[in-house]
Amino acid sequence: MEVLLTIREVLNRTTKYFSGKGIESARLDAEVLLAKVLGVNRIDLYINYDRPLVNSELDAYRRVVAERGQRKPIPYITGEKEFMSLNFKVMEGVLIPRPETEILVEAALKYVKKREIHQPTILDIGTGTGCIAVSLAKRLPSASIYATDISTEALKVAKTNAREHDLIDRITFLQGDLFEPIAKLSQQIKFDLIVSNPPYIRTQELKELPPEIKYEPFLALNGGKEGLVYYERILDEAPGYLKLDGLVLFEVGAGQAHMVQDISRNFNTLEIIKDYSSIERVLMLTMERRG
């Protein structure tokens, strides 16, 4: 008679296997994947800790465990990632939303509220999954939001996420490089806020990052030799698209906040915000007043 493995045994074995592969979040990953396969919450695994798994469940679990063992990121396996308490669809070829980027969204929301901007116009450059644009649209019902990306795959995923949250009519998605699709619009638009989490990893550092990074799109990570290429390009063009008191909010890499400040010739620094690890993560810039 075949002896079936229980949830307890499967989790313990998978945790040991993942640890041997150098995965730091071994136990958490084992739980997330099993909960996904079984269609339950993680807490339910422990409520039913000694329940045996049937063969079909074990087979499905082994398949996703094998993928994670190859260091494929969890969101690419499960097809989803939580961001700002919302669930976002994720697929290979599109950057996975990071918790640090939530700080950028929270800073934008705080700024709009503090300045009492009742109908803000917002541009999200390099929208990826649409996590920034969708999160802002969800919390700012009166905002006009535009989101651009050069990637066809990214825009497809972003539109899917906007649709999932009933916001597809609230966000204008445009394909093109940075401001290019905005420049092509028939009407000229000036924005209260321009937000962006551009590629900012130095090219040389990409090869030194964890194996999971190789699954993410190179274009969405590579910021050039110093990691500043896209900051320079955005800052050069941004004055033509901002209202007089407009704001640019950037997510920046570790140690880059002051480097970006140095190339912000037409802007003054409003604030630098640190992340949960005390790394300067968000840079808020306002246009200089002339005359």
Side-chain angles (χ1 to χ4, degrees), residues 63-80:
R63 285 194 291 271
V64 295
V65 166
E67 288 187 276
R68 185 64 184 121
Q70 300 274 325
R71 302 299 292 268
K72 188 174 185 178
I74 288 283
Y76 287 155
I77 299 172
T78 62
E80 59 189 14

Side-chain angles (χ1 to χ4, degrees), residues 169-286:
D169 295 328
R170 293 273 324 285
I171 305 169
T172 301
F173 291 101
L174 301 167
Q175 184 174 5
D177 188 25
L178 304 183
F179 293 98
E180 178 187 47
I182 300 297
K184 290 180 179 179
L185 293 176
S186 57
Q187 62 185 88
Q188 187 181 30
I189 301 172
K190 295 283 187 176
F191 296 95
D192 293 291
L193 288 85
I194 294 173
V195 298
S196 184
N197 174 23
Y200 57 68
I201 300 175
R202 296 173 179 86
T203 305
Q204 188 63 27
E205 292 178 354
L206 284 169
K207 63 182 74 172
E208 302 167 6
L209 295 172
E212 284 81 356
I213 296 298
K214 70 182 181 182
Y215 286 91
E216 299 203 63
F218 181 80
L219 188 64
L221 296 169
N222 182 29
K225 185 177 179 181
E226 298 298 329
L228 303 176
V229 169
Y230 291 95
Y231 297 113
E232 290 178 318
R233 291 183 59 198
I234 291 171
L235 288 168
D236 281 345
E237 294 188 55
Y241 296 93
L242 277 172
K243 292 182 180 178
L244 184 60
D245 295 319
L247 180 76
V248 174
L249 292 96
F250 283 132
E251 178 175 329
V252 295
Q256 288 182 328
H258 297 286
M259 295 172 69
V260 177
Q261 276 184 301
D262 290 342
I263 60 174
S264 305
R265 292 175 293 276
N266 298 312
F267 294 85
N268 294 314
T269 300
L270 180 64
E271 188 177 359
I272 297 175
I273 304 171
K274 294 182 179 180
D275 66 14
Y276 317 111
S277 301
S278 295
I279 293 171
E280 293 178 334
R281 185 61 66 184
V282 172
L283 179 61
M284 302 174 69
L285 302 167
T286 56

Side-chain angles (χ1 to χ4, degrees), residues 10-11 20 43 61 180 281 290:
V10 167
L11 286 177
I43 188 64
Y61 188 55
E180 178 187 47
R281 185 61 66 184
R290 300 292 184 182

Side-chain angles (χ1 to χ4, degrees), residues 1-282:
M1 182 177 177
E2 184 180 8
V3 178
L4 297 176
L5 297 174
T6 64
I7 288 176
R8 179 201 303 267
E9 292 168 324
V10 167
L11 286 177
N12 288 340
R13 291 186 184 190
T14 306
T15 300
K16 184 177 180 180
Y17 170 70
F18 283 165
S19 295
K21 291 289 185 178
I23 298 172
E24 294 183 4
S25 54
R27 184 66 178 195
L28 174 61
D29 290 4
E31 293 172 357
V32 168
L33 290 176
L34 186 54
K36 180 68 175 179
V37 166
L38 298 181
V40 300
N41 295 318
R42 280 172 54 213
I43 188 64
D44 295 323
L45 300 177
Y46 291 93
I47 293 173
N48 302 285
Y49 210 30
D50 293 309
R51 173 174 88 76
L53 298 181
V54 300
N55 287 329
S56 60
E57 293 171 335
L58 278 171
D59 289 343
Y61 188 55
R62 288 190 183 108
R63 285 194 291 271
V64 295
V65 166
E67 288 187 276
R68 185 64 184 121
Q70 300 274 325
R71 302 299 292 268
K72 188 174 185 178
I74 288 283
Y76 287 155
I77 299 172
T78 62
E80 59 189 14
K81 175 71 174 176
E82 184 179 296
F83 182 87
M84 293 294 292
S85 300
L86 299 172
N87 195 50
F88 286 85
K89 302 292 183 185
V90 179
M91 62 175 283
E92 289 189 59
V94 182
L95 192 71
I96 298 168
R98 264 63 170 183
E100 293 83 4
T101 307
E102 294 184 356
I103 299 169
L104 178 71
V105 174
E106 289 165 355
L109 293 171
K110 182 179 178 181
Y111 179 82
V112 169
K113 182 178 180 181
K114 183 178 180 180
R115 293 291 304 275
E116 297 183 343
I117 307 173
H118 300 297
Q119 293 181 312
T121 54
I122 302 174
L123 172 61
D124 173 23
I125 296 178
T127 194
T129 60
C131 62
I132 294 174
V134 169
S135 298
L136 289 173
K138 189 78 172 178
R139 290 161 176 79
L140 297 171
S142 62
S144 296
I145 298 178
Y146 292 75
T148 69
D149 205 294
I150 198 170
S151 166
T152 303
E153 289 180 340
L155 283 177
K156 182 178 178 181
V157 173
K159 289 177 182 179
T160 296
N161 284 319
R163 215 171 275 114
E164 287 283 327
H165 295 289
D166 297 320
L167 295 167
I168 192 64
D169 295 328
R170 293 273 324 285
I171 305 169
T172 301
F173 291 101
L174 301 167
Q175 184 174 5
D177 188 25
L178 304 183
F179 293 98
E180 178 187 47
I182 300 297
K184 290 180 179 179
L185 293 176
S186 57
Q187 62 185 88
Q188 187 181 30
I189 301 172
K190 295 283 187 176
F191 296 95
D192 293 291
L193 288 85
I194 294 173
V195 298
S196 184
N197 174 23
Y200 57 68
I201 300 175
R202 296 173 179 86
T203 305
Q204 188 63 27
E205 292 178 354
L206 284 169
K207 63 182 74 172
E208 302 167 6
L209 295 172
E212 284 81 356
I213 296 298
K214 70 182 181 182
Y215 286 91
E216 299 203 63
F218 181 80
L219 188 64
L221 296 169
N222 182 29
K225 185 177 179 181
E226 298 298 329
L228 303 176
V229 169
Y230 291 95
Y231 297 113
E232 290 178 318
R233 291 183 59 198
I234 291 171
L235 288 168
D236 281 345
E237 294 188 55
Y241 296 93
L242 277 172
K243 292 182 180 178
L244 184 60
D245 295 319
L247 180 76
V248 174
L249 292 96
F250 283 132
E251 178 175 329
V252 295
Q256 288 182 328
H258 297 286
M259 295 172 69
V260 177
Q261 276 184 301
D262 290 342
I263 60 174
S264 305
R265 292 175 293 276
N266 298 312
F267 294 85
N268 294 314
T269 300
L270 180 64
E271 188 177 359
I272 297 175
I273 304 171
K274 294 182 179 180
D275 66 14
Y276 317 111
S277 301
S278 295
I279 293 171
E280 293 178 334
R281 185 61 66 184
V282 172

